Amino acid sequence: MRIAIDAMGGDLGPRASVSGAASAVMADPGLEIRLFGPAARLEDEMSRLPRPLAAASSHLSIENAPGVVRQDQRPAQALRHGGDTSMAAMLGCLARGEADAGVSAGNTGALMALSRRALGTVGGVPRPAISTAIPTHREGRCYLLDLGANVEAEAPRLVDFALMGEAMARHLDGLSRPRVALLNVGVEGTKGPASVQRADEALRRLPAVNYTGFVEGDGIFAGEADVVVCDGFVGNAVLKASEGLAKMLVRRVQATFEAHWTSRLVGLLARPALGRLRRELDPVRYNGASLLGLDGIVIKSHGGADARGFHFAIARAAEEVRHGLPGRLAAELEQRRSAADSAVADDRLDSGSRIRAAAGMEPGGDATSQQE
């Protein structure tokens, strides 16, 4: 399996990406990884790999790409002037069919813009969405999308997200009918912004989707749905808040057991259980977000990911390759989006009828004629 990596995108530079790539190869020897970035820097990092990871060097190759997309660079600038960057070179390799998936920890907006230009989208999806899995209390996982690619999303885009997330849950997790929900400020049908209300009406008209209605924020972690849909502003805020909460809980638990000699003794006895809790809550385990809707597999790693986190992002890419996710999405979305578009259109007509009825009007008439 061939994975192309933008080795320069993360906050920690190429050290994290090179070490993470080597670690991923040690865990999955079937991987062949191409690292894109300034050749001299990548060769230096390769030479610094510790002995256990150095054995993976035969599965790693370096492709010189002297430019780097900065974290503060605007997507338009990356599109105009980023042709020599490690990110663009990685995506070009993927677009030419020389790799099965790409991974980057770089600028999210630039990665989305360059990916759309290099790969295009599938199933008539106008804009991809970012999705990742987050843990639930039932030792399962829930797919949350969008996480920032679409800060504001109207009803048709939310329906697209629901269709893509539902397909991902079926194919990656083997769920026959994943439960799909819209994130809202309450479960009552009258709550939420107009876009969420319209998406709710449209999804209820799609019998092929196991749509369960609205879910509140706490329902995500309670495992009330397998796919939770929202716009990118809300999704990103939920994700970052949950990561911060998980880290805080782990630190608080650790500090509690270290506060007194008696609690330290209890902590020694509870160490195996505490270790499991730390691993389950560790956001690093869930690093790697899919850019769903592209005609190819692109995984966005957290910008601050260390080598271990980058390893998990590569593993996420390999998982999607094994399941052939873009091809499955393309086949299903072509069929389902026509029904979804009709549902959204029907909802707009119904909304128009309700507005006219409230104004005392009917189609083809006006308020005066209706009163007469």
Side-chain angles (χ1 to χ4, degrees):
M1 186 184 301
R2 305 163 301 169
I3 308 292
I5 290 180
D6 167 17
M8 303 302 296
D11 298 342
L12 303 181
R15 179 162 299 179
S17 52
V18 172
S19 297
S23 174
V25 166
M26 296 299 290
D28 186 353
L31 296 179
E32 296 291 335
I33 293 180
R34 298 172 71 172
L35 299 162
F36 291 83
R41 290 193 64 183
L42 298 186
E43 288 167 359
D44 181 59
E45 292 298 339
M46 289 268 286
S47 69
R48 296 171 183 269
L49 287 173
R51 183 171 297 176
L53 295 181
S57 297
S58 61
H59 292 258
L60 306 178
S61 62
I62 293 173
E63 301 285 344
N64 186 47
V68 176
V69 175
R70 304 187 313 274
Q71 287 288 359
D72 63 348
Q73 194 166 350
R74 293 182 179 276
Q77 291 178 318
L79 285 169
R80 287 196 298 267
H81 309 296
D84 67 339
T85 62
S86 56
M87 184 183 290
M90 175 273 288
L91 292 168
C93 173
L94 184 57
R96 293 190 300 272
E98 297 171 5
D100 302 305
V103 182
S104 174
N107 180 316
T108 303
L111 180 63
M112 180 64 73
L114 289 170
S115 296
R116 287 179 65 193
R117 184 173 71 180
L119 303 173
T121 59
V122 297
V125 175
R127 286 186 57 85
I130 301 176
S131 174
T132 195
I134 58 176
T136 66
H137 87 291
R138 296 175 181 173
E139 298 185 359
R141 59 183 183 179
C142 168
Y143 292 101
L144 180 66
L145 69 165
D146 179 34
L147 299 178
N150 306 270
V151 176
E152 294 180 351
E154 292 301 319
R157 299 292 75 77
L158 294 174
V159 173
D160 283 343
F161 302 163
L163 295 178
M164 292 191 292
E166 193 267 352
M168 171 178 274
R170 272 191 293 109
H171 295 303
L172 294 190
D173 293 353
L175 302 175
S176 59
R177 283 181 59 78
R179 298 162 299 161
V180 179
L182 284 169
L183 186 61
N184 204 352
V185 294
V187 297
E188 299 88 349
T190 57
K191 289 192 173 181
S195 59
V196 174
Q197 292 284 334
R198 289 194 294 269
D200 172 71
E201 293 291 334
L203 286 169
R204 291 183 186 280
R205 291 187 168 96
L206 298 177
V209 177
N210 183 18
Y211 176 62
T212 59
F214 296 143
V215 65
E216 295 182 85
D218 59 343
I220 300 174
F221 306 99
E224 293 179 7
D226 304 300
V227 177
V228 174
V229 175
C230 57
D231 66 43
F233 183 90
V234 173
N236 192 271
V238 169
L239 179 67
K240 297 297 174 60
S242 65
E243 289 176 346
L245 176 61
K247 292 176 182 177
M248 184 272 289
L249 286 175
V250 169
R251 287 195 295 266
R252 285 287 184 91
V253 170
Q254 186 172 353
T256 299
F257 281 108
E258 293 175 353
H260 192 266
W261 71 267
T262 55
S263 57
R264 285 198 292 271
L265 178 60
V266 174
L268 287 174
L269 297 174
R271 182 173 292 175
L274 292 174
R276 287 195 301 272
L277 177 64
R278 185 179 295 109
R279 288 191 296 273
E280 289 172 1
L281 292 179
D282 189 357
V284 169
R285 285 187 60 207
Y286 300 90
N287 184 47
S290 305
L291 271 60
L292 278 182
L294 291 172
D295 191 11
I297 296 171
V298 177
I299 300 298
K300 170 66 173 73
S301 170
H302 196 294
D306 59 10
R308 181 167 166 261
F310 207 85
H311 173 156
F312 280 106
I314 296 171
R316 174 67 181 268
E319 181 183 19
E320 293 195 9
V321 172
R322 292 189 182 98
H323 287 85
L325 192 60
R328 293 173 184 264
L329 277 177
E332 295 189 13
L333 288 177
E334 288 287 356
Q335 177 181 359
R336 290 191 172 189
R337 281 199 81 242
S338 59
D341 290 342
S342 298
V344 173
D346 289 345
D347 177 59
R348 285 174 177 164
L349 288 173
D350 288 352
S351 297
S353 298
R354 288 193 293 269
I355 292 171
R356 286 190 294 269
M361 298 175 61
E362 291 295 335
D366 56 35
T368 304
S369 63
Q370 292 301 318
Q371 289 170 357
E372 294 173 353

